Amino acid sequence: MPAAERVLLCSVAMWLLLQSLLLASCLRSAAAFPKGCYPSEEEGLKTFRCSNARLTEVPRDIPNDTNKLYLDSNRIPFLPRDAFRDLPFLLELDLSHNTIASVESGAFRGLAEHLRSLDLSSNRLVSVSKDAFSNLKAKVNLSDNPWRCDCRLQELIRTVDLAAGSSGGIVCDSSAQEEHVGKAFLQVIADTDFCNVYKKTTDIAMLVTMFGWFAMVISYLVYYVRQNQEDARRHLEYLKSLPSKQRRSEESSTISTVV
């Protein structure tokens, strides 16, 4: 076989081998992703989409160079601690239309400096600690959740930076005062300071407790004095029944003891 043909055959074989390796690598990468998830590039940003993928938890095999992550319209019930810690370049996170009812403290740890958009709308959030969003600088959408309007929600709203136009969607689904139900939370806190009401209730409870203890101490002291007086009276009556010489000796001992 001429040398030129051998070179050509080797080149073709090498090209086919490279294609096979590339295809196998792509297949392995695709197989590593959860079903229904796929990577793409949008506006120069690396995007990972898992919308409507029937996920019940935050997937683990997300490329760590992802800039935009879509986990919307799934069945994720809660966000555990360090759920996104391996995504140092994440800029946008969409968790809307899930069943999230709990967000653990530290769920967004590692995202504080660079995350700029966080969508938690249309979930099942009733109450979340402000610590869950500690140091987060992202614009946060918390609308369309069954919020309980209380001091905890008030502290949360003061902590996060709400996304533009989303504040009206934070509505009281429950509250200690019935007249607040169905109203926008920002409208309610314009007239009601939930944390101040809670502080007053706590102060009153502490005063009642202190008064109770004080009353118990006073009652004990009164009982103790009366009991001693009664014992002294009985002893004096006993002494009166003794012969005069012995009585005088006993009386002086009793009086000195009482004094």
Side-chain angles (χ1 to χ4, degrees):
M1 180 182 294
E5 289 184 6
R6 286 200 301 272
V7 170
L8 179 59
L9 286 174
C10 287
S11 299
V12 171
M14 288 294 295
W15 183 82
L16 290 174
L17 179 61
L18 288 173
Q19 290 295 318
S20 300
L21 291 174
L22 181 61
L23 180 59
S25 177
C26 291
L27 288 174
R28 282 197 301 270
S29 298
F33 298 146
K35 185 178 180 180
C37 300
Y38 61 92
S40 64
E41 189 166 322
E42 300 177 5
E43 300 176 351
L45 296 175
K46 293 186 177 181
T47 303
F48 194 72
R49 286 191 175 273
C50 291
S51 305
N52 291 293
R54 299 183 179 181
L55 299 177
T56 56
E57 62 180 2
V58 176
R60 299 178 182 177
D61 300 316
I62 302 172
N64 58 12
D65 60 349
T66 298
N67 303 129
K68 298 171 70 175
L69 177 59
Y70 292 89
L71 298 174
D72 55 300
S73 303
N74 283 290
R75 304 169 185 172
I76 300 173
F78 76 102
L79 300 178
R81 183 187 300 271
D82 295 322
F84 308 98
R85 65 178 180 180
D86 296 325
L87 301 173
F89 304 105
L90 195 62
L91 302 175
E92 298 181 20
L93 175 58
D94 188 349
L95 290 160
S96 63
H97 297 90
N98 275 280
T99 59
I100 299 171
S102 173
V103 180
E104 290 187 1
S105 179
F108 304 110
R109 185 159 48 191
L111 304 181
E113 294 300 323
H114 45 84
L115 189 70
R116 63 190 186 192
S117 175
L118 172 60
D119 193 345
L120 281 165
S121 63
S122 300
N123 276 283
R124 297 180 183 176
L125 296 173
V126 175
S127 182
V128 179
S129 170
K130 64 178 181 178
D131 296 334
F133 298 87
S134 180
N135 300 320
L136 205 61
K137 299 177 181 178
K139 297 287 184 180
V140 183
N141 188 345
L142 298 172
S143 61
D144 299 321
N145 281 280
W147 291 109
R148 179 171 62 246
C149 289
D150 55 12
C151 180
R152 203 177 193 201
L153 178 58
Q154 183 172 316
E155 289 181 338
L156 173 62
I157 297 301
R158 288 175 177 173
T159 300
V160 301
D161 186 5
L162 295 177
S166 68
S167 60
I170 303 174
V171 177
C172 300
D173 188 72
S174 61
S175 176
Q177 301 179 20
E178 283 296 323
E179 64 267 22
H180 296 157
V181 176
K183 293 183 179 179
F185 183 68
L186 293 187
Q187 176 188 349
V188 171
I189 60 173
D191 302 316
T192 305
D193 188 339
F194 287 98
C195 295
N196 191 42
V197 170
Y198 174 77
K199 184 176 182 300
K200 286 181 178 179
T201 303
T202 304
D203 290 344
I204 292 172
M206 289 180 64
L207 286 173
V208 170
T209 303
M210 290 175 63
F211 178 78
W213 279 105
F214 182 73
M216 288 175 62
V217 171
I218 295 298
S219 299
Y220 175 77
L221 289 175
V222 170
Y223 170 79
Y224 179 78
V225 170
R226 287 182 177 177
Q227 188 67 32
N228 282 349
Q229 288 176 342
E230 183 66 20
D231 290 343
R233 185 184 63 80
R234 290 175 181 174
H235 190 63
L236 288 173
E237 289 179 353
Y238 166 73
L239 291 177
K240 289 178 182 179
S241 65
L242 296 175
S244 59
K245 186 174 181 181
Q246 184 180 357
R247 184 173 65 230
R248 282 195 300 271
S249 174
E250 291 284 349
E251 281 178 350
S252 11
S253 175
T254 301
I255 290 170
S256 63
T257 301
V258 171
V259 172

